[in-house]
Amino acid sequence: MKGRTITQLQAGDRAEFTKTVTAHDVLLFAGVSGDHNPVHLDETYAQSTMFKTRIAHGMLVGSLFSTVLGTQLPGEGTIYLGQDLKFLRPVYLDDVITAVVIVSEVIPEKNRVRLETSAVNQHGETVVTGSALVMPPKA
């Protein structure tokens, strides 16, 4: 199944992906990224921080936008060109995060789409906001 092309997209189109962020996810992300900051991996250390417990990597949460963009909106064949992120709240282990992507601008002459991105936890609190620029698949 191919993703939506530029002519099939319009401002306001929306998609989302929900995931529980587990300790295992954090461990795997540390291994893949090389980010072994103890605030993510060491409970004793994390207890001494302002968070009082381990938190997920911000970029792990940010990567959920890639899931939406590459599988749903625009979908398969999409090329991720850029992402701005602002981390508003920590994501704790076992938080349920919903990544939301909304088309904000379609630029047909350049085959580009701008999207607003946000991630919300199970309490309805926004944890990450930003915007993305992608190139949807060609027809």
Side-chain angles (χ1 to χ4, degrees):
M1 181 172 129
K2 193 170 190 174
R4 291 195 259 175
T5 64
I6 197 82
T7 59
Q8 297 169 316
L9 295 164
Q10 61 184 2
D13 287 349
R14 173 189 172 105
E16 61 184 53
F17 173 74
T18 300
K19 174 172 184 30
T20 300
V21 178
T22 67
H24 186 69
D25 294 328
V26 170
L27 183 61
L28 289 173
F29 192 84
V32 169
S33 68
D35 180 352
H36 292 88
N37 184 329
V39 74
H40 306 303
L41 303 173
D42 181 335
E43 184 61 36
T44 301
Y45 174 85
Q47 288 173 355
S48 72
T49 71
M50 62 190 262
F51 305 111
K52 304 299 181 204
T53 191
R54 291 170 54 196
I55 61 170
H57 301 77
M59 291 307 292
L60 182 143
V61 178
S63 73
L64 300 179
F65 301 127
S66 181
T67 300
V68 178
L69 296 170
T71 65
Q72 297 181 52
L73 182 67
E76 186 178 311
T78 297
I79 304 299
Y80 214 152
L81 299 174
Q83 176 78 55
D84 294 318
L85 296 171
K86 184 173 182 181
F87 302 101
L88 304 175
R89 295 179 182 276
V91 171
Y92 298 101
L93 303 184
D94 298 320
D95 274 357
V96 178
I97 303 299
T98 300
V100 180
V101 173
I102 302 171
V103 173
S104 59
E105 181 182 11
V106 178
I107 311 164
E109 62 277 3
K110 293 187 177 183
N111 194 42
R112 302 289 190 270
V113 179
R114 287 192 197 285
L115 308 105
E116 295 305 313
T117 57
S118 61
V120 179
N121 67 19
Q122 70 274 14
H123 305 294
E125 301 165 326
T126 301
V127 296
V128 179
T129 62
S131 62
L133 181 66
V134 302
M135 182 171 46
K138 294 274 190 184

